[in-house]
Amino acid sequence: DGETRLPGQTFGSISNRVLSLKALAWDPQKEDYRVRSFTRTDPEIRALMVSLGRTILLEVTLRVEENHNLRCESYVSISGAELFAPPGSGGQTLESFIEDSGRVETIWYPFTDNPWLKVWTVTPSKPWFSREVDTPYNYPFSDNISEEASDLIEQIVNGAAGLTPLFGQVMYSTTALGLFFNGSYDLWGPSKNLLHYIRPTTLRVTANGYAIVTRRDNVQSVVHRFVERYEALMQSYAAKGLYPINGPSEIRVTGLDHSEEVDLPGAQDPTLSAIVPREDHPEWDVAVWLDLLTIPGTPSSSEFYAELEAWLFDEFEDDDGEEDAALLLGVECHLDVEDVRIVLIGLVEDHRVGALGQEEFGDEGDGTGDDEHRDEVEVEVRDGADDVFGVDDLRRRGGETTEDGVHRVDH
């Protein structure tokens, strides 16, 4: 709050920084895939700024602001009950940290009391007690699993799901001790050194994620409602001896992908972005990102995800039109680009979103173990449309055309 946007800066996603790109895209004149260039003012670029598994980008030009210094403070002593309390509760709530600093993230291991809260603050000069860092990846304890944690993962994967609460406690203790012994509680330096902290060695997990677009003053309410439901479901499953979620839940808050922040007249919106502003709700100005992580193949995880997702859609899409937020990333996403319409149904994020990528989920379905949740793609091209998406190629792969002219291809 209170921060002035710098030239070239966006508080949305990296997709909103795109000025131009080169992609391997279908050329209807050549009837083949070719390297094509698109600028931010081209209507066709709207479908390419967010990749859903089928886009092959060769070159991207981004607009960024001048690098600045950040301070990142970590907290592991604030309870989830206080941090995610109902709005108006006072104390150290997520809302209070957003108001003070604007940039927050919580990582909450299952069956633990206190999340790992990270707070980034724009800080031009080094604070006295902060440790200056000149390289990224300053949380080695989160990138390299301890032997104790590795043994627990092996046992959980092999059927000892009841060890999940112990695994959560081990990960929390590892984090708290790692922050202390690595001197990582309070860091300061160039932004890239504080924002890059995930390595290829980080534990690979299945991530089920959503973006809820809402008003800035409604963030604490959205987070509280989600956490309350999440905890109730976790306890309900545990009472039946089931532990479908063994990784952390993660919460982040960002701005939206306002194309005017590119400072380029005629800049197009990244249409497939989950956080494109809603024209019918201009008062919705932020997105609350929710992620639930679990080890791939964990029993009952698909059922848990489905139950939580059904609640999310019911909670944040009221039929009476009085909703105060909307779920924009999950089951269905519509794309309208001139004469082309693509509908993506049943997105399930397994390591990465891969709705259109055969390579992502292969012939095994969508990673859930349930073929009823396999990805389905509907593509409609009206007469005269520029076939940017390679629809003719999709038709050659099979599928069927419905009475309303929609061609359906199942992966």
Side-chain angles (χ1 to χ4, degrees):
D1 286 359
E3 184 178 338
T4 302
R5 187 181 71 86
L6 300 174
Q9 186 177 27
T10 178
F11 296 122
S13 71
I14 195 171
S15 297
N16 201 39
R17 296 182 178 276
V18 175
L19 291 179
S20 64
L21 58 83
K22 291 183 180 179
L24 187 63
W26 184 257
D27 187 327
Q29 281 74 40
K30 301 292 186 180
E31 294 188 346
D32 197 3
Y33 285 99
R34 302 278 178 168
V35 176
R36 298 180 58 186
S37 297
F38 303 86
T39 68
R40 186 62 186 263
T41 58
D42 293 334
E44 295 171 340
I45 200 174
R46 291 185 287 174
L48 301 173
M49 288 186 284
V50 176
S51 174
L52 292 176
R54 189 174 171 84
T55 306
I56 301 177
L57 301 182
L58 305 178
E59 180 180 299
V60 179
T61 301
L62 305 177
R63 180 168 190 187
V64 298
E65 69 274 20
E66 184 178 348
N67 198 11
H68 53 276
N69 293 325
L70 291 177
R71 181 186 190 184
C72 183
E73 299 171 273
S74 288
Y75 302 84
V76 291
S77 59
I78 306 171
S79 71
E82 180 176 6
L83 194 63
F84 307 128
S89 298
Q92 293 179 297
T93 62
L94 195 68
E95 163 69 28
S96 70
F97 287 100
I98 295 174
E99 184 175 352
D100 289 342
S101 300
R103 296 166 168 82
V104 299
E105 175 189 55
T106 65
I107 300 175
W108 197 5
Y109 302 109
F111 301 100
T112 61
D113 295 326
N114 300 349
W116 175 13
L117 168 67
K118 285 190 280 189
V119 180
W120 293 269
T121 309
V122 176
T123 310
S125 301
K126 177 184 174 299
W128 181 261
F129 293 105
S130 298
R131 178 169 70 89
E132 183 174 356
V133 292
D134 53 14
T135 59
Y137 312 115
N138 293 290
Y139 306 106
F141 54 86
S142 68
D143 297 322
N144 301 282
I145 299 299
S146 67
E147 185 175 351
E148 180 182 9
S150 178
D151 290 342
L152 284 171
I153 291 173
E154 182 179 9
Q155 294 178 67
I156 290 171
V157 169
N158 289 333
L163 293 175
T164 297
L166 176 59
F167 178 64
Q169 293 290 341
V170 168
M171 293 305 294
Y172 169 79
S173 298
T174 299
T175 298
L177 291 173
L179 288 169
F180 178 77
F181 285 108
N182 286 281
S184 300
Y185 270 109
D186 189 346
L187 304 176
W188 178 87
S191 61
K192 74 173 182 66
N193 296 337
L194 300 181
L195 296 175
H196 292 178
Y197 57 89
I198 300 297
R199 288 181 178 273
T201 54
T202 303
L203 181 65
R204 295 293 296 271
V205 293
T206 295
N208 192 46
Y210 303 89
I212 298 176
V213 177
T214 187
R215 301 187 316 271
R216 167 65 184 81
D217 61 3
N218 197 41
V219 168
Q220 188 71 26
S221 173
V222 168
V223 170
H224 170 71
R225 288 144 70 185
F226 164 74
V227 168
E228 193 173 50
R229 181 59 178 169
Y230 163 72
E231 285 196 297
L233 277 177
M234 290 288 281
Q235 294 299 331
S236 173
Y237 275 72
K240 296 180 287 188
L242 301 174
Y243 298 88
I245 305 299
N246 41 49
S249 61
E250 300 179 345
I251 299 176
R252 302 174 181 88
V253 181
T254 69
L256 305 185
D257 283 340
H258 294 280
S259 56
E260 60 267 24
E261 292 182 351
V262 183
D263 299 322
L264 181 66
Q268 302 292 314
D269 289 331
T271 307
L272 287 177
S273 170
I275 56 174
V276 170
R278 287 275 297 267
E279 293 183 1
D280 56 335
H281 282 284
E283 75 280 10
W284 293 354
D285 53 0
V286 300
V288 179
W289 297 84
L290 310 170
D291 254 335
L292 294 177
L293 313 182
T294 199
I295 298 170
T298 299
S300 301
S301 58
S302 295
E303 292 80 1
F304 185 96
Y305 284 147
E307 190 170 352
L308 180 64
E309 182 172 280
W311 176 85
L312 284 166
F313 273 94
D314 182 64
E315 184 73 9
F316 297 112
E317 286 195 338
D318 296 340
D319 294 332
D320 58 11
E322 298 298 325
E323 68 273 354
D324 56 5
L327 178 64
L328 293 188
L329 179 60
V331 166
E332 187 167 350
C333 171
H334 291 266
L335 163 66
D336 288 292
V337 180
E338 300 208 341
D339 291 320
V340 180
R341 178 173 65 88
I342 291 183
V343 182
L344 308 176
I345 302 175
L347 306 187
V348 177
E349 186 177 326
D350 193 359
H351 302 306
R352 300 165 298 277
V353 173
L356 296 179
Q358 181 80 15
E359 303 82 0
E360 187 70 38
F361 300 129
D363 295 326
E364 300 299 324
D366 58 16
T368 65
D370 183 352
D371 282 346
E372 292 181 1
H373 292 156
R374 293 168 67 88
D375 292 294
E376 182 181 272
V377 180
E378 294 184 0
V379 179
E380 177 183 6
V381 180
R382 302 186 184 97
D383 291 340
D386 189 1
D387 191 11
V388 178
F389 309 101
V391 175
D392 290 339
D393 179 59
L394 281 175
R395 287 189 174 123
R396 285 196 292 270
R397 297 187 186 198
E400 60 180 359
T401 302
T402 61
E403 293 181 358
D404 59 357
V406 174
H407 192 73
R408 185 186 303 264
V409 178
D410 291 327
H411 283 285

